[in-house]
Amino acid sequence: MALHRLSFRLRATVCHVRTLHTSGWGQQQEAVAVESEPEPFSVFRTQETDPACQSEKHLGQFYTLPSAHFRPLFPHGLPYRYQQQVKTFNEACFMVRPPALEVISYLKKADYSKPALRYLFYGVKGSGKTMSLCHAVHFCYTQGWVVLHIPDAHLWVKNCKELLPSSYNSARFDQPLQATTWLRNFRTTNEHLLSQGISRVKSSSDVVGALMKDLRLQSSQPGADFRLVVAVDGVNALWGRSTIKKENKSAVDLEELTLIHNLKKLMKNDWTGGAIITTLSQTGSLYTPKSAYLPQELLGETGFDSMDPFIPVSVPNYSEKEFESAYLYYLDRKWLQHPQSRTEDGKKELSFLSSKNPSMLDRICGFL
Amino acid sequence: MESTAKKRRCSFNKDWETTYHWVKPVQGDSQRVFCEVCQSSFSVSHGAPERSGREFGSRKPRREEGEPRTEKMPLDQDWTAVYPAATPFRAGSVPLPVRMGYPMKGGVPPEKKGNLELIKIPNFLHLTPAAIKKHCEALKPFCTEWPSALDTDAKCDEHFPIKVECTDYVSSGLSVRNPSARIVQLKVKLSILNLDDHARKKMLKLVGERYCKDTDVLTITTDSCPLRQQNYDYAQYLLTVLYHESWKTEAWEAEKTVADMEEYSWEGSPSQKNIMDMLLRMKVAGEGEGEEVQEQLLARSEVQEYKDSVTRLKNEGDNESSVLQYKEAVKKVFNL
């Protein structure tokens, strides 16, 4: 078995040698067995699959997510295009980038008897905020934390087909469909840690609320052996506006939605023993201008005051090195078929057209 | 029924040459004659030349148009003589190859000769620098000397802080009056007025749009009265009233809410509460409740830095550097 894997690796190395040799790279290393110091396989990949051990020297390199982690960890939460890419390439690769590494280093250093720290990824559209969030979540997962991952808070404030008055508090409204989907995914992620079943559909929103409260209390207890990470994508939805309307066509205030209400309670850092990692997202947000990407613009006054104090982490577009890495990765996976894309000029053209924005690069390469 | 007088077409008659000396026959067409005066031919099929009224007698011959004036203009001419007053554009008087108009397909904008577009628009050919110089020279006898002590702008501002601007209009017409002459504009810098913090904020709220933050100038424009004298008095009155009112504090001003505040102040804001809560929970300062703990916490440098960064973020809005400053401050508070 090991031999088979070895030969596969050697074969892959030979391919790498060929492609990289043609593009002019001199140095090659044959990866034989796993050494104590993980050597890069090729210039853009790294063998280090454990986010805890990744450091600055792995910056710009791709690491492969072990498939055992992939299915349970990300039933929801990855960007749609990336999911398709994973299916095409048959592997899930994350690039090690400074924002995610920074947050992981804070997570390592933080003191968990103190209140939960809040981190916020912000950046222009398509710069890799959700991916950085998922990278950080992977780290937490490998450390054995309980992961409470909400893929996109914007989904909960718009296009709601069913709205029921809450059984617990009659002033609020429930969203049973969204709640059940989320609970199902939550179970997939945390199956190995918890043993809870999914309840009936009707009261699912209340179940979500109870679950959140429970987790919060548990992780706050001193001497608790588990930690909780709350990962919310598109957190600015919690303080924006909603397009859901009541039957008499009046707009629903965000406070009246049970799910949002419970989530906001989680966001407050009155519990200990965990971390809150969030991203801003303009893409799904309602009534915000397209060019807004800075924290205060998207969070608004109330949002900022609720999240304050938090650590904003900027996620920029690719740097030169990262762009090289991504380009080589696509070449390696035979994603770039056009002959001109292999030339230096082609590379410069790609870099200019996408202005090194990760999602733009992905879209452009899709045509090649 | 047939009419008795038969109608038939006329053709050229030799007798006409003697009667009208300007008539000549046209080769190849007996029903047209050639008029030597206007150098054109016309049809006579309806009768003798005299019937076609326009060729009658001694019509003034159309003379050749001469050379345009532009050819004869010397380079050092006096332009003010060409355009002494505001007149429409004359293609023959302006020695510039100007083109104006929409270029049709494959073409260029039409030239100036006969160009209605150039004639329609207002032109300032009568106001060249040379003309302005002449106007100034003509006005000089009516002016007095500028005071020599006021040689810089700063001195002018110091001695005459309030600037009043009015416009006079001259035109030729049925009446010399112009209703726009009643408008009076009063400009003053707020830094000159003796205003304390509350008075300044109240003044800014009272004047609203009339204040320019970049130049610190308050502009009061009055035009509600029919005479300039009245508008001037009204503007002075407004300035006085604004000044005195902003010094007074009314009872309802106590209801000023956070949303009315012009600037963000950190004391008493949710941000302060948040950070205080956090630090207390983190038990940084040690056990103990109450005011001394708060004071102690506030005095710490990280908290001060945090306060500065939040104030800057809120007042200036978002930009990369203010967000980075905020990040550094928060990291310091959490000792990361």
Side-chain angles (χ1 to χ4, degrees), chain A residues 269 293 296-297 305 308 312, chain B residues 271 274 278 281 306 318 326:
Chain A
N269 57 354
Y293 73 96
Q296 237 189 324
E297 292 167 342
D305 288 333
D308 192 41
Chain B
S271 170
N274 287 341
M278 282 219 47
R281 258 182 287 128
Y306 174 77
D318 279 328
Y326 174 74

Side-chain angles (χ1 to χ4, degrees), chain A residues 102 106 109-110 114-115 117 119 122 269-271 293-297 301 304-306 308-314, chain B residues 264 266 270-272 274-275 278 281-282 284 306 310 313-314 317-320 323-324 326-327 330-331 334-336:
Chain A
E102 204 183 320
Y106 296 151
K109 278 193 272 183
K114 303 236 177 87
L117 285 172
Y119 309 94
Y122 71 94
N269 57 354
D270 47 4
W271 50 280
Y293 73 96
L294 290 164
Q296 237 189 324
E297 292 167 342
E301 286 278 341
F304 187 83
D305 288 333
S306 323
D308 192 41
F310 64 93
I311 301 185
V313 182
S314 157
Chain B
Y264 179 76
W266 191 71
S271 170
Q272 187 190 17
N274 287 341
I275 190 107
M278 282 219 47
R281 258 182 287 128
M282 282 160 57
V284 171
Y306 174 77
V310 173
L313 204 59
K314 290 264 182 177
D318 279 328
N319 47 37
E320 290 289 328
V323 178
L324 279 170
Y326 174 74
K327 175 174 163 185
V330 174
K331 267 167 56 176
F334 292 133
N335 298 324
L336 275 177

Side-chain angles (χ1 to χ4, degrees), chain A residues 67-232:
Chain A
S67 46
H69 287 182
F70 182 75
R71 287 309 317 285
L73 184 54
F74 297 124
H76 56 190
L78 286 172
Y80 180 62
R81 282 193 73 91
Y82 184 75
Q83 280 173 355
Q84 287 181 315
Q85 188 185 307
V86 166
K87 240 191 288 189
T88 324
F89 292 168
N90 257 339
E91 61 171 7
C93 274
F94 280 155
M95 193 196 273
V96 177
R97 291 183 78 196
L101 269 189
E102 204 183 320
V103 170
I104 292 177
S105 71
Y106 296 151
L107 288 172
K108 285 189 210 164
K109 278 193 272 183
D111 181 353
Y112 290 105
S113 59
K114 303 236 177 87
L117 285 172
R118 287 178 283 217
Y119 309 94
L120 181 73
F121 285 113
Y122 71 94
V124 291
K125 184 171 154 181
S127 61
K129 302 180 287 286
T130 315
M131 295 303 291
S132 302
L133 180 75
C134 296
H135 189 171
V137 164
H138 180 223
F139 165 75
C140 301
Y141 185 78
T142 51
Q143 303 286 309
W145 296 21
V146 176
V147 169
L148 203 106
H149 185 78
I150 287 129
D152 193 355
H154 291 299
L155 291 173
W156 287 0
V157 301
K158 50 183 182 175
N159 302 333
C160 183
K161 302 230 172 40
E162 264 187 34
L163 207 62
L164 294 174
S166 164
S167 45
Y168 177 64
N169 184 342
S170 56
R172 299 209 212 111
F173 291 99
D174 273 356
Q175 288 157 292
L177 289 173
Q178 271 102 340
T180 1
T181 348
W182 185 80
L183 277 173
R184 210 172 293 133
N185 290 328
F186 180 74
R187 184 174 74 158
T188 333
T189 314
N190 297 297
E191 220 157 3
H192 63 288
L193 290 174
L194 304 172
S195 51
Q196 283 187 17
I198 297 186
S199 325
R200 301 171 297 284
V201 177
K202 247 197 183 163
S203 54
S204 51
S205 310
D206 288 323
V207 168
V208 171
L211 179 66
M212 290 181 181
K213 201 161 151 189
D214 199 29
L215 284 170
R216 220 169 55 223
L217 287 172
Q218 280 205 342
S219 68
S220 302
Q221 277 160 12
D225 54 351
F226 80 93
R227 306 229 185 95
L228 174 65
V229 65
V230 180
V232 185

